[in-house]
Amino acid sequence: MPLRPVQVNIKARDHSAVGRFWAEALGWSAYSPGVTTYVGPAGGLVWPDPVAVGIDVVPVPEPGTATKNRMHLDLATTSAAHQAELVARLRDLGATPARVGQGDVPWTVLADPEGNEFCVLEPREVYRDTGPIAAVVVDCADPRAMARFWDEALDWTLHEAADDRAVLRSARGTGPYLEFLRTPDAKTVPDRVHLDLLPYPGDDEAAEVARLRALGATDLDVGQGDVPWTCLADPEGHEFCVLAPS
């Protein structure tokens, strides 16, 4: 059975501080079930969450680079006043303005306390029921090719596949969208942000990894050593991990 995205993995030197930032930003809670800080909906730790795509902040020793991440989060708002209030609150929490060549746009580009870019969107009807995270957005050269790979990789539904944009969402019609946007710049360094995918209970992780390789994924060595998950890259080199079934 195809995989499900369960969390966005963010590398950070201070995982606790970055986790607290994202918990406050989203109105969620930060949990520390192990060596990472997991951010998910308030009310107690539920993993995997049946609706939301959580955030897992993982400690790493190296700082980020000046290179823009190829993956980022778009945050939803419900009104112009909400957008302005959210931007102001995020800046009070430690977010900083970010310039990524966006020009004059109706959304606001910020970076979290360790420089990971994200956007606070103007109100859009399409995102009215996503929760605080409107979309997980990936820069790419060929959205149609990304749509072919990720549509087969995931149990999500493909909503759009065009030259400039491809869009997927959970088949239940809940939670954030996964969007691939055509951009002119090429991937040059490993991202500090990537998706973690999870097999369903009873599914075989090794079989799922083999299926992904047949679709065009490649093995990835990021110094992970002997771990129970598998690091891969999609056909354009975007990193992702397949976790052990829960």
Side-chain angles (χ1 to χ4, degrees):
M1 181 182 291
L3 301 153
R4 49 191 162 149
V6 290
Q7 60 197 24
V8 174
N9 185 298
I10 299 178
K11 296 181 176 67
R13 297 186 75 183
D14 188 341
H15 66 98
S16 296
V18 173
R20 287 193 300 271
F21 169 85
W22 281 106
E24 292 286 343
L26 301 175
W28 286 358
S29 297
Y31 308 93
S32 296
V35 297
T36 70
T37 297
Y38 177 76
V39 178
L45 176 59
V46 176
W47 192 93
D49 190 275
V51 175
V53 174
I55 296 174
D56 197 37
V57 187
V58 178
V60 294
E62 65 273 5
T65 69
T67 303
K68 175 182 176 291
N69 287 313
R70 302 280 286 175
M71 178 179 287
H72 71 268
L73 298 180
D74 279 353
L75 306 190
T77 63
T78 57
S79 66
H82 180 208
Q83 182 186 16
E85 181 276 331
L86 180 56
V87 169
R89 186 166 64 82
L90 292 167
R91 295 192 65 172
D92 286 344
L93 290 171
T96 54
R99 304 300 303 177
V100 292
Q102 68 266 31
D104 184 16
V105 293
W107 58 88
T108 301
V109 184
L110 300 172
D112 74 13
E114 292 205 8
N116 300 300
E117 305 87 0
F118 65 96
C119 297
V120 181
L121 301 180
E122 76 285 3
R124 300 185 193 181
E125 181 64 19
V126 68
Y127 300 133
R128 63 181 172 79
D129 62 350
T130 60
I133 300 176
V136 180
V137 182
V138 184
D139 296 343
C140 67
D142 188 344
R144 288 188 186 274
M146 290 293 93
R148 288 192 295 271
F149 174 83
W150 285 96
D151 186 36
E152 291 290 335
L154 304 180
D155 68 340
W156 283 19
T157 298
L158 180 64
H159 286 256
E160 179 182 345
D163 289 343
D164 292 329
R165 185 170 180 258
V167 180
L168 299 96
R169 195 186 190 194
S170 167
R172 298 187 302 273
T174 56
Y177 289 82
L178 175 61
E179 302 181 359
F180 295 88
L181 301 183
R182 185 177 182 180
T183 56
D185 52 312
K187 182 174 172 61
T188 58
V189 298
D191 258 6
R192 289 175 77 80
V193 183
H194 70 257
L195 274 177
D196 284 343
L197 312 181
L198 183 67
Y200 282 88
D203 285 355
D204 186 283
E205 178 188 355
E208 285 299 314
V209 168
R211 186 177 65 84
L212 293 170
R213 291 188 185 115
L215 292 172
T218 53
D219 292 298
L220 184 67
D221 185 354
V222 291
Q224 67 268 24
D226 184 16
V227 292
W229 59 88
T230 303
C231 298
L232 299 171
D234 74 12
E236 285 200 15
H238 303 110
E239 302 90 349
F240 66 96
C241 292
V242 178
L243 307 180
S246 60

